Amino acid sequence: MDAQKVDMFMMMNSKYFESYHLNSVREKLLSLDESKSSIVHSLQFKEPTTALIISIFGGAYGIDRFYIGDTGMGVGKLLTCGGLGIWAIIDWFMIQGATREKNMQMFQNTVY
């Protein structure tokens, strides 16, 4: 993939990944051929800020975990009312990192 396209991708999508993942994402994008680069550009990453807002308003029902694709944890939060509220409050601080990790998993599953 062309370095200019990689820089553009990184500039537009760096908020979707943890900072320590950015170098590995960049290196992998530079080594991609053009056929896979179009697939990577079409990926729809989850917004960490949206996940935080959902967690604040619907975290006790597991909606935040359903949003990022953690169906099992979403069902667990739904059945326990957010772990009696404790799990919901903890997720206010952790959901953005979990969203970025899920985005990285989606990226890795696509390019590998």
Side-chain angles (χ1 to χ4, degrees):
M1 195 170 167
D2 184 24
Q4 186 177 8
K5 289 181 183 179
V6 170
D7 290 338
M8 183 66 75
F9 179 87
M10 295 301 294
M11 191 169 48
M12 291 174 51
N13 296 306
S14 63
K15 65 182 177 182
Y16 298 123
F17 301 103
E18 293 285 356
S19 59
Y20 58 88
H21 286 305
L22 293 177
N23 285 334
S24 63
V25 169
R26 180 174 171 67
E27 290 173 9
K28 189 61 183 171
L29 286 173
L30 286 171
S31 68
L32 281 181
D33 59 347
E34 290 299 320
S35 64
K36 283 198 173 185
S37 68
S38 62
I39 295 171
V40 170
H41 283 292
S42 67
L43 287 175
Q44 296 292 318
F45 296 112
K46 301 293 183 181
E47 177 70 46
T49 307
T50 304
L52 176 63
I53 292 169
I54 292 170
S55 183
I56 290 170
F57 292 109
Y61 305 110
I63 298 170
D64 54 346
R65 290 296 178 160
F66 287 120
Y67 172 73
I68 67 171
D70 275 343
T71 307
M73 292 183 82
V75 169
K77 281 180 77 172
L78 178 64
L79 294 176
T80 63
C81 292
L84 299 175
I86 296 169
W87 191 358
I89 292 171
I90 291 171
D91 257 355
W92 293 348
F93 300 99
M94 299 187 69
I95 195 68
Q96 287 186 314
T99 305
R100 289 185 180 108
E101 289 294 329
K102 284 291 187 175
N103 287 336
M104 186 63 185
Q105 287 177 2
M106 181 181 9
F107 176 78
Q108 287 176 337
N109 290 340
T110 304
V111 297
Y112 289 110

